[in-house]
Amino acid sequence: MCVALPGLVISTEQGQLTGRGLEGFYRAGRRLLSRCQIRVAGREPLAVQARMTAADRARFVGTLRTSPQAGPDPDVVVERTRHADGTERITLHSAAVRPLRVPVEVALGTDLADLGAIVHGTTGPELPASVHDSGLRWSSAKGSTAVTADPPPTDALASAGLLRWELALLPGGSASIELRVRQDGVGPVRAVGRAATSPLVTARAAGDDPRVAALLRTSIEDLQALLLRDPAHPADTHLAAGAPWRCGLAPAEALAAARMTLPLGTRLAAGTLRTLARTQLRAQGPRSGMIPGPRRDAGTHLPPGCTGTEATLLFPTLLAEARRWGLPEPEIEELLPAAERCLTWLRSTVGDGSYLSDPRPGGPVRCETQAHAHRAALLGADLLDACGRPGGAELRHWAEALRTAFRADFWIDDLGGGRPAAARAPDGRLVPHLGAAAVHLLDTGLLGGGEQAPGLLDKVQTEQLARLLGGPAMDSGWGLRGLGVKEAGHNPFGHRSGAVRVHETAIAVAGLAAADYEKEASALLRGVLAAAEAFGHRLPDMYAGEQRIDGSAPLPHPAACRPAATAAAAGVLLLTTLAGIRPDAPAETVTLRPIRSAPLGEIVLTGLRVAGAPFSVRVSRLGLAMVEEAADGLQLRA
């Protein structure tokens, strides 16, 4: 899968586009080309290798024997380099001892179907082609698309959708054909991530474990590939949720990914916040101040949750933390009114109560929602105070009351030491299952001076949660399961009921490390790193929560996005957690709280951004962190 949104191309490892399943070139969810099959000398090349060379490029290699008398060795190599922008270069390399004249045929076809129709099997037949310039063209009520070739083909047969060439190959020589897929009336794909104005810096990782370099490089490439512009405000960029299923804006996921990528600069956070501020509900009513978002499956024990609630609470959190990483004051002032509206919605919705319930009547009080709300209140109060705005004291007072109530009302005592409830039903009944949503209780957020905000759990409860998350019921060896294996309804492929979700695992690693539970954090970190290696360092948003055993590999989930914004951003969070970077740009300080056990040995992170300037840090095998590059005037805080 090659991605450079709005361009996307999907194929099997054989390299041929056959029109089956999801195969094809896409632009903005429309399949412009479904079939692109090559025959050389009347035969399909034997596929010998397929690999990604970048997030938006793949290389396929096949071989041929043009003369049966030549023995078993191939004498022609066929190389296909495919780009998400709709171009493919086909190169033939000759190893024959005599000149060759090789006929090449490319069979093309399309249905101009949209992705939704393809998924549901309602695409219809291929469209008839017509000869157009140096290629073929297809038209329907959905639009038109064309494939042009350079050099132009010797023959173009519209009825068969076929282009033909006779290529001359000298001994040791090469010849190439370039195909370009274009949608009529639309210019070439200009991927945001490939532009000089991309909001993400290209940081690097190195160290004792060679996997860290590949993970960070691939994560950043995937993030670049998923970048989109707000059409009405092209200076503002945000991340699509993932390919191929979710190539548009998902507010909660976009904010979560922007937050995890703050070490790569604050420009993505600013663009995401501005884009979502324009969607904020302003009309009077109980939803005023909310960032709208769809409902999300919550597994077998709870009804679907409201991602709009999560996005509304993440908005002030991201703005407050982006300020700590160095977001310029003018941009903070611009976004502050929207953050205030989010916080006003929080306080007005809670009213005189202790908890934030689901927005629909009769909904449960979810554990993770209280964690998001508590963090938003404390970081929002910090932001309001810093900007000279009122309301901080009221938010802190409510957050303190929430902590007191939560520690008593949401904790289930049992012989194993207890656990946090997943939710409280409207009648007060606790939903007791143990799931990965509990990791959000450890994600308290960054305040000034490198301090973490207080959490909803006390010290004893935090220790018990760390023990549970690090236990075999939750840690699959590849990452954190969405639901413990002993819980009713567990399904290793369940979206929220057993599959490993990379985002939640990264949040668990960061939260456990911040709370000094390094053994559990390190085990989860090593598990995800092993899974990343199995997936070619391009992590999907989820995969099966099967137990890891010797010689096994993580099982892909058929509905996963890969690349996915939160999974790629999680790669950044996992590696920067090793160094424990906690900046306070307004105070011109940075604190380092590395994982002292150095679970991956020495690691060096270069090209990060703190206070708008390059920042590099080294963590030694002894777990000691040293700043190697930083902004002038930035002081290391003990």
Side-chain angles (χ1 to χ4, degrees):
M1 189 181 301
C2 305
V3 184
L5 294 181
L8 170 69
V9 56
I10 304 171
S11 72
T12 70
E13 292 185 347
Q14 299 301 308
Q16 301 277 41
L17 296 180
T18 66
R20 291 191 290 266
L22 293 174
E23 293 178 33
F25 279 96
Y26 294 80
R27 177 170 178 147
R30 174 79 59 196
R31 182 156 65 180
L32 303 185
L33 188 69
S34 56
R35 198 160 50 86
C36 182
Q37 295 170 286
I38 297 174
R39 291 173 65 86
V40 179
R43 302 191 306 278
E44 289 193 11
L46 175 67
V48 295
Q49 187 185 73
R51 68 184 184 92
M52 301 294 300
T53 58
D56 62 343
R57 295 190 299 277
R59 178 176 180 263
F60 304 90
V61 178
T63 61
L64 284 164
R65 285 189 301 147
T66 60
S67 174
Q69 291 76 33
D73 298 332
D75 54 4
V76 174
V77 174
V78 182
E79 179 183 355
R80 303 173 72 170
T81 304
R82 183 171 293 156
H83 295 250
D85 65 1
T87 62
E88 178 164 334
R89 190 170 186 84
I90 304 161
T91 303
L92 275 62
H93 305 277
S94 173
V97 296
R98 58 183 176 81
L100 299 176
R101 290 196 65 83
V102 183
V104 177
E105 296 180 343
V106 178
L108 303 167
T110 189
D111 49 18
L112 286 178
D114 62 62
L115 186 59
I118 297 167
V119 170
H120 291 98
T122 58
T123 57
E126 281 191 355
L127 299 170
S130 60
V131 176
H132 176 74
D133 290 340
S134 57
L136 298 174
R137 185 174 183 268
W138 299 263
S139 297
S140 75
K142 302 171 185 175
S144 301
T145 186
V147 173
T148 58
D150 182 20
T154 306
D155 296 300
L157 304 178
S159 59
L162 198 65
L163 303 180
R164 291 175 174 166
W165 293 261
E166 286 280 342
L167 298 183
L169 293 175
L170 296 174
S174 300
S176 295
I177 299 166
E178 185 167 279
L179 304 177
R180 297 184 182 88
V181 185
R182 294 289 183 264
Q183 188 174 5
D184 282 5
V186 179
V189 174
R190 292 184 175 87
V192 179
R194 288 286 174 183
T197 56
S198 171
L200 297 169
V201 299
T202 305
R204 294 283 184 266
D208 291 339
D209 192 322
R211 296 174 297 179
V212 301
L215 178 59
L216 186 58
R217 181 184 66 252
T218 306
S219 295
I220 294 173
E221 286 182 357
D222 285 347
L223 290 166
Q224 302 275 25
L226 292 170
L227 284 170
L228 293 173
R229 294 191 189 278
D230 185 332
H233 300 83
D236 292 339
T237 55
H238 60 271
L239 290 166
W245 315 111
R246 306 177 69 202
C247 291
L249 174 63
E253 284 86 344
L255 288 164
R259 184 176 175 228
M260 290 188 284
T261 58
L262 284 171
L264 304 180
T266 59
R267 289 177 55 207
L268 176 61
T272 304
L273 290 167
R274 282 194 292 266
T275 298
L276 291 177
R278 291 188 282 269
T279 73
Q280 191 173 39
L281 302 178
R282 305 288 185 91
Q284 293 298 314
R287 288 166 52 89
S288 179
M290 283 195 74
I291 307 292
R295 301 195 72 79
R296 176 199 289 149
D297 175 67
T300 56
H301 296 280
L302 291 170
C306 177
T307 63
T309 296
E310 184 178 337
T312 306
L313 299 171
L314 272 170
F315 191 103
T317 295
L318 176 57
L319 181 58
E321 291 191 317
R323 177 176 175 270
R324 295 294 175 192
W325 281 90
L327 184 65
E329 288 296 330
E331 297 188 69
I332 297 170
E333 289 293 329
E334 175 192 2
L335 291 162
L336 191 59
E340 288 182 294
R341 288 190 288 270
C342 293
L343 296 170
T344 299
W345 170 84
L346 169 60
R347 288 298 296 120
S348 63
T349 303
V350 170
D352 295 330
S354 298
Y355 300 118
L356 180 62
S357 300
D358 270 16
R360 66 179 181 179
V365 178
R366 300 173 196 260
C367 169
E368 64 182 294
T369 300
Q370 310 321 303
H372 293 317
H374 182 259
R375 182 184 60 216
L378 290 180
L379 271 64
D382 188 55
L383 178 66
L384 294 177
D385 288 353
C387 296
R389 302 292 183 95
E394 182 184 4
L395 286 166
R396 288 191 186 88
H397 178 74
W398 174 75
E400 183 179 1
L402 174 61
R403 282 197 298 277
T404 301
F406 187 92
R407 291 171 183 179
D409 295 345
F410 266 79
W411 192 259
I412 301 171
D413 289 314
D414 58 31
L415 295 177
R419 63 171 63 182
R424 287 176 64 90
D427 61 4
R429 177 180 53 86
L430 295 179
V431 181
H433 72 270
L434 177 65
V439 305
H440 296 287
L441 293 169
L442 301 173
D443 180 17
T444 60
L446 182 64
L447 295 174
E451 295 296 323
Q452 296 288 117
L456 284 175
L457 300 180
D458 62 27
K459 185 176 180 180
V460 173
Q461 292 169 338
T462 300
E463 182 177 2
Q464 174 64 4
L465 178 58
R467 187 183 69 81
L468 292 171
L469 294 178
M474 290 297 294
D475 184 358
S476 70
W478 301 114
L480 198 68
R481 295 184 176 96
L483 186 68
V485 293
K486 298 180 181 179
E487 306 295 330
H490 170 81
N491 173 5
F493 281 93
H495 276 61
R496 304 277 168 177
S497 55
V500 173
R501 300 191 71 87
V502 176
H503 172 207
E504 288 175 334
T505 303
I507 292 293
V509 170
L512 288 166
D516 292 327
Y517 295 101
E518 294 191 359
K519 178 182 176 182
E520 293 80 1
S522 297
L524 289 171
L525 170 65
R526 284 191 287 261
V528 176
L529 199 62
E533 185 176 27
F535 284 112
H537 304 287
R538 171 181 269 186
L539 281 163
D541 58 344
M542 60 180 171
Y543 43 89
E546 294 279 5
Q547 184 61 44
R548 180 181 179 184
I549 59 176
D550 288 344
S552 68
L555 293 175
H557 194 293
C561 286
R562 179 172 175 261
T566 53
V572 178
L573 177 61
L574 287 167
L575 296 181
T576 54
T577 293
L578 289 165
I581 307 166
R582 301 183 185 181
D584 188 350
E588 297 186 315
T589 64
V590 63
T591 304
L592 301 178
R593 292 285 184 269
I595 297 181
R596 295 183 298 275
S597 58
L600 304 182
E602 184 177 69
I603 182 172
V604 182
L605 301 171
T606 58
L608 303 175
R609 286 292 185 276
V610 173
F615 185 84
S616 301
V617 61
R618 179 187 300 269
V619 180
S620 73
R621 298 181 186 91
L622 299 176
L624 301 175
M626 296 157 281
V627 175
E628 297 195 332
E629 183 181 23
D632 291 340
L634 190 68
Q635 299 296 313
L636 183 62
R637 187 185 181 104

